[in-house]
Amino acid sequence: MATKLRQSLFGNTVQVFSCDWTKAYFRFHDPFSDLAFALEVGKGGARSIQMAIQGSIIRYLLFTRKGKDSNLLSLCAISKQEQEHALAAALADVLWAAGAAQKATVCLVTEETYVALTPDYSGDGFTERLQLFELVEKEATEKFIYDHLQCFKGEGSHGVILFLYSLIFSRTFERLQKDLDVSTSQLLQPNAGGFLCGQATLNMILTGRASPHVFNGCQKGESQEMLHGVLTHSDIGYLQWGKDTSEDDRLSQVGSRLKTPRLPIWLCNTNGNYSILFSTNRQLLSDWKMERLFHLYFYSGQPSQNKPVHLTIDTHSHHWERVQHEDEHRPGRRFSPVEMVIRTKWREATINWNGSVPFF
């Protein structure tokens, strides 16, 4: 199992996680603060997983928990205990969906070593000490995670890696093989001496399936091979924009299933930087009239951000008020990448930052 785990992550059994991964865990900003709902995110490849879980935390706090209003104030006025309940619920939700709503597997590190080292398998000091706990009810999964939350939110806990291991074991190696296609054989991609999450890993967190692509359904690639995209709408969506991506590349275009999730929360990828956009209005995507003039909140995870940025989106402003066409041959030059990623969903939108400095 340890060998299969390595193989599915790295494509080999000798690779180990870099230190930006081993240091990563789930830690909130201070309770009862402007960012009480938000995780502090580090640098490196684990950041995209922390941001994807951030989306699930916001879903729980705004739209799932009972007896609370869906507004920004309710996100900021949360205690340490409410933060912990939100994290446990978010992690359990994702693992339960990956386990096809039948069973979840949670990995914890114990004192005992269960894996002998061989020339084909190099140890990292904690993967060899994993113990797996299988849970067959969603509520039991949430309670188990809450009771062992220190294993995911404690400094030095390897919390993000343990969650990723739990995600893979919940999905099972068999399902994982069916989810992936010829374009993708591993979940992490080597990058500048470290590893970044492949799209399959992010889609597994967002949709429960490790589809390697962002288009709807299945499509044929250049050599007529069958490529796997997103099969259903999920609660949390995904938007992406990169200054080097071409609109003609159909395989890299995000499909409507990710662009229009069931709830107005999106994980955003702008030039490889991950952030979250969300609305507190649950009905935003269920009535087109609501999408004429509406509010979104933006969280970048950057240390310089000390409160969510309030954006006003106007999709019906007049063409003479817009200047975006003046500079369309230099994409990204005049506009913040945040504006560009919003326009991948609302094409002609004008975006008011309401006094905040735009993020570049």
Side-chain angles (χ1 to χ4, degrees):
M1 284 172 94
T3 307
K4 268 187 171 173
L5 190 57
R6 282 274 171 83
Q7 199 76 42
S8 49
L9 284 165
F10 302 110
N12 63 56
T13 57
V14 290
Q15 191 69 53
V16 294
F17 281 103
S18 49
C19 71
D20 57 322
W21 278 91
T22 55
K23 286 179 180 167
Y25 58 102
F26 298 102
R27 177 172 69 181
F28 281 93
H29 285 267
D30 291 339
F32 301 111
S33 72
D34 287 335
L35 289 177
F37 66 92
L39 295 172
E40 291 184 15
V41 294
K43 292 188 171 77
R47 182 189 177 95
S48 55
I49 292 183
Q50 291 167 317
M51 272 298 180
I53 292 299
Q54 179 68 70
S56 281
I57 289 168
I58 291 170
R59 170 184 60 183
Y60 170 80
L61 289 172
L62 278 181
F63 304 122
T64 309
R65 66 181 174 149
K66 305 281 185 281
K68 297 288 180 180
D69 294 331
S70 295
N71 57 37
L72 192 66
L73 198 61
S74 74
L75 283 183
C76 303
I78 61 171
S79 66
K80 184 168 182 287
Q81 189 180 21
E82 286 172 309
Q83 288 177 333
E84 290 172 350
H85 277 296
L87 178 58
L91 297 178
D93 259 351
V94 171
L95 297 183
W96 190 248
Q102 294 165 348
K103 138 176 126 177
T105 302
V106 180
C107 297
L108 302 179
V109 177
T110 63
E111 296 299 311
E112 298 288 317
T113 300
Y114 302 105
V115 180
L117 303 188
T118 68
D120 299 332
Y121 179 89
S122 35
D124 56 24
F126 63 93
T127 306
E128 301 75 55
R129 298 188 286 128
L130 287 187
Q131 198 166 353
L132 276 54
F133 298 86
E134 290 188 349
L135 298 122
V136 292
E137 287 175 354
K138 190 177 174 186
E139 289 73 21
T141 306
E142 190 176 323
K143 183 180 185 315
F144 184 84
I145 292 173
Y146 183 75
D147 290 344
H148 298 88
L149 205 58
Q150 203 54 33
C151 301
F152 298 96
K153 75 177 195 75
E155 194 164 356
S157 64
H158 309 303
V160 170
I161 296 176
L162 281 184
F163 165 71
L164 181 55
Y165 284 173
S166 303
L167 185 66
I168 293 168
F169 282 121
S170 294
R171 188 68 192 142
T172 74
F173 294 119
E174 294 70 36
R175 287 197 198 104
L176 209 47
Q177 282 317 112
K178 289 185 182 137
D179 293 344
L180 300 175
D181 58 31
V182 291
S183 72
T184 306
S185 57
Q186 63 203 62
L187 295 172
L188 302 181
Q189 309 302 328
N191 178 276
F195 283 87
L196 297 180
C197 268
Q199 191 64 43
T201 313
L202 297 179
N203 283 351
M204 190 161 33
I205 297 173
L206 296 174
T207 72
R209 263 196 193 89
S211 323
H213 299 280
V214 291
F215 49 72
N216 289 356
C218 294
Q219 291 195 27
K220 285 193 174 155
E222 287 171 12
S223 315
Q224 298 301 300
E225 74 280 23
M226 195 52 80
L227 301 176
H228 300 170
V230 175
L231 300 184
T232 53
H233 287 271
S234 50
D235 282 355
I236 297 166
Y238 178 79
L239 301 173
Q240 72 181 14
W241 179 80
K243 59 179 185 296
D244 303 323
T245 48
S246 149
E247 287 202 12
D248 305 330
D249 180 5
R250 65 184 173 88
L251 295 179
S252 70
Q253 297 302 308
V254 179
S256 58
R257 286 173 184 158
L258 284 176
K259 276 189 182 174
T260 309
R262 288 192 285 263
L263 295 170
I265 305 168
W266 294 266
L267 175 67
C268 299
N269 173 359
T270 51
N271 296 318
N273 296 314
Y274 289 88
S275 54
I276 290 284
L277 274 171
F278 64 95
S279 167
T280 57
N281 176 7
R282 188 185 193 116
Q283 305 307 319
L284 176 65
L285 301 172
S286 52
D287 179 355
W288 62 270
K289 291 196 273 310
M290 300 243 182
E291 292 183 68
R292 286 182 158 178
L293 182 69
F294 58 96
H295 303 283
L296 292 177
Y297 295 95
F298 172 70
Y299 176 57
S300 69
Q302 292 177 9
S304 58
Q305 186 176 356
N306 52 20
K307 62 179 184 183
V309 173
H310 172 206
L311 304 169
T312 302
I313 315 298
D314 184 348
T315 58
H316 277 58
S317 58
H318 301 296
H319 64 87
W320 56 83
E321 292 170 0
R322 287 197 308 273
V323 290
Q324 69 226 56
H325 300 302
E326 287 175 20
D327 208 27
E328 61 188 11
H329 298 301
R330 301 292 295 276
R333 180 155 175 199
R334 282 181 75 91
F335 293 97
S336 155
V338 179
E339 296 181 39
M340 301 307 282
V341 83
I342 288 171
R343 289 196 185 108
T344 64
K345 170 144 179 72
W346 295 281
R347 274 192 90 80
E348 300 290 302
T350 52
I351 293 129
N352 184 342
W353 287 75
N354 295 310
S356 294
V357 178
F359 278 76
F360 281 93

